[in-house]
Amino acid sequence: MAVDMKTIMRKMTSIVITVLLMACFAARAGADFEGVDAIIKELDEKVPSPPTVLTVEKCIELALENNPELKKRVAALNAIKGDEMIDRSRFFSHLDFIAGFDRGQGSVLKTVSNYSHNPQAVLSTASPDAAAGFGVSSSGSSSSGIDASALAGVDMDQVSSLASQYGIDISQFLRPSGDYYRAESLRKLERVANQTIPGTGVDVQELQDLVDSLNEINDLLSSSTTTSDRTKAGTKVSLRYSRRLIEWGRDPSSQVGIRKVRRTAISNYEQKLREVIRDVRVDFFTLLLNQQQVNERKKLLEEYKKRHWQQKKRFEIAQDVSRLDVLTAELDVLNEEDSIRRLELSALETKYELMKIIDMPIADDVKLVGELPEFDFTEEEVAELAVKNSYDVQLTEGEVWESERAYQQLAWDYKPIFTANIGLENRRTAAAFTINNSNQTYGLDMGVEQYMNMPASLSTSSSRQDHNYSLSAGVVWNLYDSTQRKGIDKVTLEKLNESREELRNLILQEELDARTAFRNYKETKDKLDMQKAILDIYDKRLNITRKLREYDRVQQFEVDNYRNSYFSQLDNVFKEQENLITAQENLRALMGQFD
């Protein structure tokens, strides 16, 4: 049993040691792996990311999505959709909540203008609200009685007794419509006062007091033919539903304006779209051409370096060439390096322009893939497509169509103008159907208003409050206007003829421009072929002259002349290649055909 225990102890010890060793190894391995990950991460940061590959289709797609000028044109087009929604909204339901409250204390005698120190009186005997309120109690109810004693400040019994001595009935002054009788009584008293003789027993002062009292009563009663409440209050709460049901007649001016704005916006968008696509294609293919030119120049540079090395070795070892030949070879190398530098600078500027159009970071590294497609359209096809896809022609065609519509709809000016309205009212509900006319555009409108209370405006002099209605209709018809109609017809017709003639001239001009652009393209292409042929001859002459120079058959200045002529002709070829790209893409933009 003891042996067994020792064996077990040894096995347990070995297991513990193995576990500890494995743990140490795992910890060390984990540390090593973390170091490897850090190194890999550092290398990934140092290694540059591969360039972004761009095709001409991808560049055009990016330009259409990101170009700011195109975004402006798209925003203008989208705004027109909003105008259309606003214009069509009259054919959909409108629901309004209407609430109002007004309260007034007493009769308003004055209104205040913008200048508070200059109130304007509006008191008028013809206005019940502006008149003085006689016999009005504090509760707001009116009374037909007139308290003349309180108004004049005299005893009416005394005045009546005194007036009867002169044959005047004072009750005439208390009649609501006794203006005539009051005036006659006053004139009679004045005649008596003027004819009074001392010693007749008539108190002149007493008679004059009577006249003054009656005049005061007359003035007050003349300005108080009606009464009004001193406190007024009212509320109105309702829901109103309205919409236009149908429309007919002349095209509404809103729709005419929207169509005009849409035509202009589409034309502007189409113009900018073609400009952007053309600029992208020109820069893209020009950049490809610059890369090809740089590659060709680099091939020549390698040849010149090799030749310079050979001339230098022959001068140092064999001594069968002169020092001048070595310098000439070195000059060829330097000239070619300078040409490559200028081409690379031009390519960099073209790249910046392209990246700006497609709205990509200028510092990004890109790789262009593609080639300039052949232009295989005939002159007739070019002219036909240019006229068909011209945005100027399409814009003018829309204007001609509008002019024809306006001329055809002149007849609406001499048709009868109808107006009609029917209204229904039932206590808290009012509904109406109306035929409205605006510049010979008719519309049938409906409206329903539900009152949540019974406003004072609905009260009538009659006791009827249910099933009230109103109906009205009218017509105006111009039967004769001398020569006005003929004059309007002639002016509109001449404007239509002018628009048609402008369209015809524009079509002819578009066709002429297309044919001229096609001729320029063909001339540029032929000129490029000629320049390439001349370059090939210059290349052969330069190579022959260099061989002859090795055998001292020609002078060095002749080699220099031929070399300068070759490089000058090579620059001409490169320039004509760029001109061909521009001419071809301008022609495609004119045609509206970039496929």
Side-chain angles (χ1 to χ4, degrees):
M1 187 66 180
V3 175
D4 294 336
M5 289 298 296
K6 291 180 179 180
T7 304
I8 292 173
M9 292 297 294
R10 286 196 299 268
K11 288 182 178 180
M12 292 180 63
T13 303
S14 62
I15 291 173
V16 172
I17 294 173
T18 303
V19 172
L20 292 175
L21 291 174
M22 292 178 65
C24 293
F25 177 78
R28 184 175 180 181
D32 294 340
F33 288 148
E34 292 178 358
V36 172
D37 292 340
I39 294 173
I40 293 175
K41 184 178 180 180
E42 184 178 356
L43 291 175
D44 290 339
E45 293 177 354
K46 291 183 178 180
V47 175
S49 58
T52 304
V53 179
L54 294 177
T55 61
V56 65
E57 291 80 10
K58 183 63 176 178
C59 291
I60 293 176
E61 180 181 352
L62 292 174
L64 298 183
E65 293 178 356
N66 304 323
N67 186 266
E69 294 297 329
L70 276 180
K71 288 182 179 180
K72 292 181 182 179
R73 303 303 193 277
V74 173
L77 286 174
N78 293 335
I80 297 175
K81 296 181 181 179
D83 293 336
E84 292 176 347
M85 294 173 63
I86 296 173
D87 184 59
R88 292 196 304 267
S89 65
R90 63 183 182 274
F91 295 100
F92 298 96
S93 300
H94 293 261
L95 186 62
D96 302 316
F97 173 77
I98 304 173
F101 171 78
D102 62 271
R103 181 180 177 88
Q105 179 68 39
S107 300
V108 179
L109 301 180
K110 297 181 182 295
T111 58
V112 182
S113 63
N114 292 334
Y115 301 97
S116 59
H117 61 275
N118 185 25
Q120 300 294 327
V122 294
L123 180 62
S124 174
T125 57
S127 174
D129 293 338
F134 296 106
V136 178
S137 63
S138 61
S139 62
S141 62
S142 61
S143 175
S144 59
I146 301 176
D147 190 359
S149 299
L151 292 175
V154 297
D155 186 358
M156 291 302 299
D157 294 336
Q158 182 180 358
V159 174
S160 177
S161 176
L162 183 60
S164 61
Q165 299 178 11
Y166 301 96
I168 297 175
D169 186 7
I170 193 63
S171 62
Q172 296 175 355
F173 284 84
L174 303 180
R175 295 180 182 179
S177 58
D179 296 343
Y180 172 77
Y181 299 103
R182 288 194 294 271
E184 288 295 325
S185 298
L186 290 174
R187 284 195 292 270
K188 184 177 180 181
L189 284 175
E190 291 177 356
R191 287 197 300 271
V192 172
N194 293 332
Q195 297 174 359
T196 299
I197 302 174
T200 59
V202 178
D203 190 346
V204 177
Q205 183 62 38
E206 182 181 9
L207 181 61
Q208 186 63 42
D209 292 341
L210 174 61
V211 172
D212 294 340
S213 299
L214 292 179
N215 278 328
E216 184 176 356
I217 296 174
N218 179 63
D219 293 338
L220 291 173
L221 293 179
S222 297
S223 62
S224 58
T225 58
T226 60
T227 61
S228 62
D229 295 337
R230 302 187 64 82
T231 301
K232 294 182 179 180
T235 60
K236 175 183 177 182
V237 180
S238 64
L239 290 176
R240 182 176 60 195
Y241 172 85
S242 61
R243 64 171 296 182
R244 170 157 289 191
L245 300 178
I246 57 175
E247 200 170 71
W248 69 94
R250 175 181 288 171
D251 288 4
S253 58
S254 59
Q255 294 183 5
V256 175
I258 290 174
R259 287 198 296 262
K260 182 177 181 180
V261 174
R262 183 192 297 111
R263 289 194 301 269
T264 304
I266 292 176
S267 178
N268 293 337
Y269 174 78
E270 183 69 21
Q271 180 179 1
K272 178 54 66 174
L273 177 66
R274 295 188 189 184
E275 291 179 1
V276 170
I277 296 177
R278 180 199 61 192
D279 293 343
V280 168
R281 290 174 64 92
V282 168
D283 291 341
F284 183 89
F285 293 123
T286 302
L287 192 54
L288 282 179
L289 178 62
N290 290 338
Q291 293 177 355
Q292 295 175 2
Q293 294 171 353
V294 169
N295 294 334
E296 292 179 7
R297 290 280 191 173
K298 286 183 177 180
K299 291 179 181 179
L300 292 176
L301 179 60
E302 293 298 326
E303 294 178 2
Y304 289 146
K305 286 182 177 181
K306 182 179 179 180
R307 186 172 181 276
H308 173 250
W309 181 82
Q310 290 175 350
Q311 294 292 85
K312 185 177 181 181
K313 292 301 180 183
R314 290 176 61 182
F315 174 75
E316 293 175 354
I317 299 174
Q319 295 184 352
D320 56 349
V321 296
S322 64
R323 178 65 177 173
L324 182 61
D325 294 331
V326 176
L327 294 176
T328 301
E330 184 179 1
L331 182 61
D332 291 340
V333 172
L334 295 177
N335 287 334
E336 197 61 27
E337 289 178 347
D338 181 65
S339 298
I340 292 174
R341 183 188 61 79
R342 287 187 283 107
L343 285 175
E344 290 178 342
L345 181 60
S346 177
L348 186 62
E349 294 176 354
T350 305
K351 176 196 171 184
Y352 288 165
E353 295 177 0
L354 178 61
M355 301 297 280
K356 179 181 178 181
I357 296 175
I358 64 179
D359 197 22
M360 283 186 63
I362 296 178
D364 284 2
D365 187 14
V366 296
K367 179 182 179 181
L368 305 184
V369 178
E371 60 181 4
L372 182 65
E374 292 292 334
F375 188 84
D376 54 358
F377 292 93
T378 63
E379 183 176 349
E380 297 300 326
E381 292 175 341
V382 168
E384 180 181 357
L385 289 174
V387 174
K388 179 182 178 181
N389 299 327
S390 172
Y391 45 82
D392 288 334
V393 171
Q394 294 173 359
L395 178 62
T396 307
E397 286 177 345
E399 294 176 352
V400 170
W401 181 87
E402 285 289 353
S403 298
E404 292 175 348
R405 177 202 56 78
Y407 180 71
Q408 293 172 359
Q409 293 185 350
L410 279 179
W412 282 99
D413 289 338
Y414 299 95
K415 292 182 179 181
I417 301 176
F418 297 97
T419 57
N421 178 78
I422 180 171
L424 303 174
E425 180 184 305
N426 187 9
R427 285 185 175 271
R428 298 180 184 274
T429 304
F433 293 86
T434 307
I435 295 179
N436 293 312
N437 178 281
S438 176
N439 195 23
Q440 300 300 334
T441 300
Y442 289 92
L444 176 60
D445 300 319
M446 69 164 293
V448 179
E449 190 163 359
Q450 177 68 38
Y451 292 92
M452 299 180 183
N453 65 338
M454 181 65 75
S457 59
L458 290 182
S459 63
T460 60
S461 59
S462 66
S463 60
R464 175 170 176 168
Q465 295 181 347
D466 296 330
H467 310 298
N468 297 325
Y469 71 91
S470 63
L471 179 64
S472 63
V475 61
V476 176
W477 193 358
N478 186 354
L479 299 178
Y480 178 72
D481 61 359
S482 185
T483 61
Q484 181 179 357
R485 179 174 183 177
K486 293 181 179 180
I488 295 176
D489 289 348
K490 185 171 182 59
V491 170
T492 307
L493 180 60
E494 292 303 325
K495 288 183 178 180
L496 175 59
N497 293 334
E498 182 181 359
S499 300
R500 290 172 176 172
E501 190 66 23
E502 181 181 356
L503 175 60
R504 190 180 69 85
N505 293 334
L506 183 59
I507 292 175
L508 294 176
Q509 186 62 43
E510 289 289 337
E511 182 178 354
L512 177 61
D513 293 342
R515 293 182 182 276
T516 302
F518 182 81
R519 297 300 178 107
N520 292 336
Y521 164 75
K522 295 294 292 185
E523 182 180 355
T524 304
K525 186 176 181 181
D526 294 341
K527 189 174 181 180
L528 176 59
D529 295 337
M530 184 180 297
Q531 295 293 338
K532 288 182 178 179
I534 295 174
L535 178 64
D536 186 59
I537 295 175
Y538 279 5
D539 183 46
K540 293 178 180 179
R541 289 175 60 184
L542 179 59
N543 292 332
I544 293 174
T545 305
R546 284 173 175 171
K547 289 292 183 181
L548 294 176
R549 175 57 187 166
E550 292 179 1
Y551 297 100
D552 289 334
R553 300 289 298 275
V554 295
Q555 299 296 323
Q556 182 59 41
F557 73 89
E558 295 179 292
V559 178
D560 295 340
N561 291 336
Y562 284 122
R563 184 186 65 249
N564 295 335
S565 299
Y566 171 78
F567 285 121
S568 177
Q569 185 60 29
L570 183 61
D571 292 336
N572 291 336
V573 171
F574 289 162
K575 184 177 180 180
E576 289 301 326
Q577 288 176 333
E578 295 177 358
N579 292 339
L580 180 64
I581 293 174
T582 303
Q584 177 175 322
E585 296 308 320
N586 286 337
L587 190 55
R588 287 184 179 275
L590 191 62
M591 297 164 51
Q593 191 79 25
F594 293 98
D595 298 335

